[in-house]
PDB file of all heavy atoms in Angstrom:
ATOM      1  N   LEU A1239     109.561  75.513 122.192  1.00  0.00           N
ATOM      2  CA  LEU A1239     110.684  74.589 122.350  1.00  0.00           C
ATOM      3  C   LEU A1239     111.166  74.559 123.795  1.00  0.00           C
ATOM      4  O   LEU A1239     111.580  73.506 124.303  1.00  0.00           O
ATOM      5  CB  LEU A1239     111.819  74.969 121.413  1.00  0.00           C
ATOM      6  CG  LEU A1239     112.970  73.968 121.283  1.00  0.00           C
ATOM      7  CD1 LEU A1239     112.468  72.576 120.963  1.00  0.00           C
ATOM      8  CD2 LEU A1239     113.962  74.431 120.222  1.00  0.00           C
ATOM      9  N   GLY A1240     111.105  75.692 124.488  1.00  0.00           N
ATOM     10  CA  GLY A1240     111.489  75.711 125.894  1.00  0.00           C
ATOM     11  C   GLY A1240     110.617  74.785 126.720  1.00  0.00           C
ATOM     12  O   GLY A1240     111.100  74.055 127.592  1.00  0.00           O
ATOM     13  N   LEU A1241     109.311  74.794 126.458  1.00  0.00           N
ATOM     14  CA  LEU A1241     108.403  73.885 127.167  1.00  0.00           C
ATOM     15  C   LEU A1241     108.684  72.428 126.798  1.00  0.00           C
ATOM     16  O   LEU A1241     108.630  71.541 127.655  1.00  0.00           O
ATOM     17  CB  LEU A1241     106.953  74.234 126.830  1.00  0.00           C
ATOM     18  CG  LEU A1241     106.386  75.501 127.489  1.00  0.00           C
ATOM     19  CD1 LEU A1241     105.013  75.829 126.922  1.00  0.00           C
ATOM     20  CD2 LEU A1241     106.301  75.330 129.002  1.00  0.00           C
ATOM     21  N   ALA A1242     108.989  72.183 125.508  1.00  0.00           N
ATOM     22  CA  ALA A1242     109.283  70.813 125.080  1.00  0.00           C
ATOM     23  C   ALA A1242     110.531  70.276 125.768  1.00  0.00           C
ATOM     24  O   ALA A1242     110.565  69.122 126.226  1.00  0.00           O
ATOM     25  CB  ALA A1242     109.457  70.767 123.563  1.00  0.00           C
ATOM     26  N   ILE A1243     111.572  71.106 125.874  1.00  0.00           N
ATOM     27  CA  ILE A1243     112.810  70.687 126.540  1.00  0.00           C
ATOM     28  C   ILE A1243     112.542  70.421 128.017  1.00  0.00           C
ATOM     29  O   ILE A1243     113.067  69.471 128.606  1.00  0.00           O
ATOM     30  CB  ILE A1243     113.904  71.752 126.349  1.00  0.00           C
ATOM     31  CG1 ILE A1243     114.343  71.773 124.876  1.00  0.00           C
ATOM     32  CG2 ILE A1243     115.099  71.488 127.258  1.00  0.00           C
ATOM     33  CD1 ILE A1243     115.218  72.944 124.528  1.00  0.00           C
ATOM     34  N   HIS A1244     111.696  71.250 128.627  1.00  0.00           N
ATOM     35  CA  HIS A1244     111.325  71.030 130.027  1.00  0.00           C
ATOM     36  C   HIS A1244     110.625  69.689 130.192  1.00  0.00           C
ATOM     37  O   HIS A1244     110.931  68.926 131.126  1.00  0.00           O
ATOM     38  CB  HIS A1244     110.415  72.149 130.509  1.00  0.00           C
ATOM     39  CG  HIS A1244     109.768  71.878 131.835  1.00  0.00           C
ATOM     40  ND1 HIS A1244     110.460  71.942 133.030  1.00  0.00           N
ATOM     41  CD2 HIS A1244     108.496  71.498 132.152  1.00  0.00           C
ATOM     42  CE1 HIS A1244     109.648  71.639 134.024  1.00  0.00           C
ATOM     43  NE2 HIS A1244     108.456  71.355 133.522  1.00  0.00           N
ATOM     44  N   GLU A1245     109.686  69.366 129.312  1.00  0.00           N
ATOM     45  CA  GLU A1245     108.954  68.107 129.417  1.00  0.00           C
ATOM     46  C   GLU A1245     109.880  66.915 129.210  1.00  0.00           C
ATOM     47  O   GLU A1245     109.792  65.912 129.933  1.00  0.00           O
ATOM     48  CB  GLU A1245     107.810  68.080 128.395  1.00  0.00           C
ATOM     49  CG  GLU A1245     106.700  69.063 128.678  1.00  0.00           C
ATOM     50  CD  GLU A1245     106.066  68.858 130.037  1.00  0.00           C
ATOM     51  OE1 GLU A1245     105.727  67.707 130.381  1.00  0.00           O
ATOM     52  OE2 GLU A1245     105.908  69.860 130.769  1.00  0.00           O
ATOM     53  N   LEU A1246     110.768  66.996 128.229  1.00  0.00           N
ATOM     54  CA  LEU A1246     111.700  65.896 127.982  1.00  0.00           C
ATOM     55  C   LEU A1246     112.640  65.697 129.168  1.00  0.00           C
ATOM     56  O   LEU A1246     112.921  64.559 129.577  1.00  0.00           O
ATOM     57  CB  LEU A1246     112.503  66.172 126.713  1.00  0.00           C
ATOM     58  CG  LEU A1246     111.743  65.981 125.389  1.00  0.00           C
ATOM     59  CD1 LEU A1246     112.538  66.592 124.233  1.00  0.00           C
ATOM     60  CD2 LEU A1246     111.469  64.501 125.125  1.00  0.00           C
ATOM     61  N   THR A1247     113.140  66.805 129.733  1.00  0.00           N
ATOM     62  CA  THR A1247     114.062  66.706 130.868  1.00  0.00           C
ATOM     63  C   THR A1247     113.356  66.138 132.098  1.00  0.00           C
ATOM     64  O   THR A1247     113.889  65.266 132.795  1.00  0.00           O
ATOM     65  CB  THR A1247     114.663  68.084 131.195  1.00  0.00           C
ATOM     66  OG1 THR A1247     115.281  68.622 130.037  1.00  0.00           O
ATOM     67  CG2 THR A1247     115.701  67.969 132.304  1.00  0.00           C
ATOM     68  N   THR A1248     112.160  66.632 132.377  1.00  0.00           N
ATOM     69  CA  THR A1248     111.403  66.141 133.526  1.00  0.00           C
ATOM     70  C   THR A1248     111.110  64.656 133.384  1.00  0.00           C
ATOM     71  O   THR A1248     111.233  63.882 134.345  1.00  0.00           O
ATOM     72  CB  THR A1248     110.093  66.927 133.675  1.00  0.00           C
ATOM     73  OG1 THR A1248     110.394  68.318 133.845  1.00  0.00           O
ATOM     74  CG2 THR A1248     109.299  66.441 134.872  1.00  0.00           C
ATOM     75  N   ASN A1249     110.736  64.237 132.181  1.00  0.00           N
ATOM     76  CA  ASN A1249     110.471  62.825 131.941  1.00  0.00           C
ATOM     77  C   ASN A1249     111.730  61.981 132.120  1.00  0.00           C
ATOM     78  O   ASN A1249     111.687  60.876 132.679  1.00  0.00           O
ATOM     79  CB  ASN A1249     109.916  62.633 130.529  1.00  0.00           C
ATOM     80  CG  ASN A1249     109.567  61.190 130.232  1.00  0.00           C
ATOM     81  OD1 ASN A1249     108.554  60.684 130.674  1.00  0.00           O
ATOM     82  ND2 ASN A1249     110.436  60.505 129.485  1.00  0.00           N
ATOM     83  N   ALA A1250     112.878  62.517 131.662  1.00  0.00           N
ATOM     84  CA  ALA A1250     114.138  61.781 131.797  1.00  0.00           C
ATOM     85  C   ALA A1250     114.534  61.623 133.262  1.00  0.00           C
ATOM     86  O   ALA A1250     115.089  60.594 133.667  1.00  0.00           O
ATOM     87  CB  ALA A1250     115.247  62.498 131.035  1.00  0.00           C
ATOM     88  N   VAL A1251     114.232  62.630 134.081  1.00  0.00           N
ATOM     89  CA  VAL A1251     114.561  62.565 135.508  1.00  0.00           C
ATOM     90  C   VAL A1251     113.625  61.605 136.247  1.00  0.00           C
ATOM     91  O   VAL A1251     114.048  60.835 137.105  1.00  0.00           O
ATOM     92  CB  VAL A1251     114.492  63.972 136.137  1.00  0.00           C
ATOM     93  CG1 VAL A1251     114.579  63.899 137.657  1.00  0.00           C
ATOM     94  CG2 VAL A1251     115.615  64.851 135.593  1.00  0.00           C
ATOM     95  N   LYS A1252     112.346  61.626 135.908  1.00  0.00           N
ATOM     96  CA  LYS A1252     111.370  60.806 136.625  1.00  0.00           C
ATOM     97  C   LYS A1252     111.339  59.353 136.146  1.00  0.00           C
ATOM     98  O   LYS A1252     111.234  58.426 136.948  1.00  0.00           O
ATOM     99  CB  LYS A1252     109.980  61.422 136.473  1.00  0.00           C
ATOM    100  CG  LYS A1252     109.781  62.718 137.239  1.00  0.00           C
ATOM    101  CD  LYS A1252     108.342  63.187 137.117  1.00  0.00           C
ATOM    102  CE  LYS A1252     108.086  64.426 137.960  1.00  0.00           C
ATOM    103  NZ  LYS A1252     106.681  64.881 137.848  1.00  0.00           N
ATOM    104  N   PHE A1253     111.423  59.173 134.823  1.00  0.00           N
ATOM    105  CA  PHE A1253     111.186  57.837 134.287  1.00  0.00           C
ATOM    106  C   PHE A1253     112.300  57.317 133.379  1.00  0.00           C
ATOM    107  O   PHE A1253     112.293  56.136 133.033  1.00  0.00           O
ATOM    108  CB  PHE A1253     109.873  57.823 133.472  1.00  0.00           C
ATOM    109  CG  PHE A1253     108.707  58.404 134.202  1.00  0.00           C
ATOM    110  CD1 PHE A1253     108.157  59.608 133.799  1.00  0.00           C
ATOM    111  CD2 PHE A1253     108.150  57.753 135.282  1.00  0.00           C
ATOM    112  CE1 PHE A1253     107.071  60.159 134.465  1.00  0.00           C
ATOM    113  CE2 PHE A1253     107.061  58.285 135.955  1.00  0.00           C
ATOM    114  CZ  PHE A1253     106.523  59.490 135.548  1.00  0.00           C
ATOM    115  N   GLY A1254     113.219  58.202 132.969  1.00  0.00           N
ATOM    116  CA  GLY A1254     114.177  57.821 131.947  1.00  0.00           C
ATOM    117  C   GLY A1254     115.610  57.785 132.401  1.00  0.00           C
ATOM    118  O   GLY A1254     115.929  57.463 133.557  1.00  0.00           O
ATOM    119  N   ALA A1255     116.507  58.182 131.505  1.00  0.00           N
ATOM    120  CA  ALA A1255     117.941  58.011 131.709  1.00  0.00           C
ATOM    121  C   ALA A1255     118.472  58.773 132.916  1.00  0.00           C
ATOM    122  O   ALA A1255     119.386  58.302 133.605  1.00  0.00           O
ATOM    123  CB  ALA A1255     118.694  58.437 130.447  1.00  0.00           C
ATOM    124  N   LEU A1256     117.933  59.941 133.193  1.00  0.00           N
ATOM    125  CA  LEU A1256     118.469  60.756 134.280  1.00  0.00           C
ATOM    126  C   LEU A1256     117.952  60.319 135.641  1.00  0.00           C
ATOM    127  O   LEU A1256     118.373  60.838 136.671  1.00  0.00           O
ATOM    128  CB  LEU A1256     118.147  62.234 134.038  1.00  0.00           C
ATOM    129  CG  LEU A1256     118.745  62.818 132.756  1.00  0.00           C
ATOM    130  CD1 LEU A1256     118.399  64.292 132.622  1.00  0.00           C
ATOM    131  CD2 LEU A1256     120.263  62.621 132.720  1.00  0.00           C
TER     132      LEU A1256
END
Side-chain angles (χ1 to χ4, degrees):
L1239 190 52
L1241 286 172
I1243 291 169
H1244 169 74
E1245 292 302 312
L1246 285 167
T1247 305
T1248 301
N1249 182 77
V1251 170
K1252 289 185 176 180
F1253 309 111
L1256 299 181

